[in-house]
């Protein structure tokens, strides 16, 4: 199983970025996909997640209303659209898969310990 995160870069405060996670070796069907981030000197924290079966989503309070997660089951990709970026959004962003079964649960996991597979991360730098 491989997860390839892309789309990071340098952006000014207030700007937008779209991160993409491309998955190979595993179908996105009944599992859950999460985005996490890790800023320098800080622990990895959960950002958002989506259930592949029913599209249920959840967001961390720090990004709610600024971030949208979406899934393309046919392309086996998950995107994270980030708007109104702030300095404190600077971090390496990782996508991950919890390969447990989520069917009609209406939720997805926020604990990083639930996730089985991880990508290599993509750097987002918010700077003026």
């Amino acid at each position: 199983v491989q997860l390839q995160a892309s789309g990071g870069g340098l952006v000014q405060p207030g700007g937008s970025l779209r991160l993409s996670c491309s998955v190979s070796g595993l179908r996105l069907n009944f599992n859950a996909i999460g985005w996490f981030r890790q800023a320098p000197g800080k622990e990895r924290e959960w950002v958002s997640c989506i259930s592949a079966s029913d599209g249920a989503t959840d967001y961390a309070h720090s990004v709610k209303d600024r971030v949208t997660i979406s899934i393309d089951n046919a392309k086996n990709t998950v995107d994270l659209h980030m708007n109104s970026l702030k300095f404190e959004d600077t971090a390496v962003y990782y996508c991950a898969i919890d390969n447990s079964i989520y069917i009609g649960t209406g939720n997805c996991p926020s604990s990083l310990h639930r996730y089985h597979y991880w990508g290599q991360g993509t750097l987002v730098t918010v700077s003026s």
Side-chain angles (χ1 to χ4, degrees):
V1 179
Q2 289 189 326
L3 290 76
Q4 182 73 40
S6 61
L10 176 64
V11 62
Q12 292 186 340
S16 300
L17 276 179
R18 179 175 67 94
L19 307 184
S20 186
C21 179
S22 179
V23 179
S24 60
L26 184 69
R27 292 299 306 173
L28 299 181
N29 44 23
F30 304 116
N31 33 36
I33 303 87
W35 280 95
F36 294 78
R37 67 185 182 185
Q38 188 165 17
K42 295 188 177 182
E43 293 186 351
R44 191 169 299 189
E45 65 174 2
W46 170 72
V47 175
S48 180
C49 62
I50 187 166
S51 169
S53 64
D54 59 14
T57 60
D58 200 5
Y59 300 92
H61 179 74
S62 59
V63 302
K64 199 173 180 63
D65 298 328
R66 300 189 296 120
V67 166
T68 302
I69 190 170
S70 62
I71 186 170
D72 187 326
N73 298 84
K75 294 182 178 179
N76 233 37
T77 58
V78 174
D79 288 351
L80 189 72
H81 301 258
M82 303 191 296
N83 301 307
S84 302
L85 284 162
K86 305 176 181 180
F87 292 118
E88 52 264 41
D89 293 319
T90 294
V92 177
Y93 284 72
Y94 301 88
C95 56
I97 295 176
D98 174 359
N99 207 34
S100 306
I101 302 297
Y102 290 87
I103 300 178
T105 62
N107 61 21
C108 52
S110 59
S111 170
L112 62 87
H113 301 291
R114 295 288 300 272
Y115 287 81
H116 303 93
Y117 304 105
W118 292 82
Q120 86 292 354
T122 185
L123 176 63
V124 172
T125 303
V126 183
S127 176
S128 55

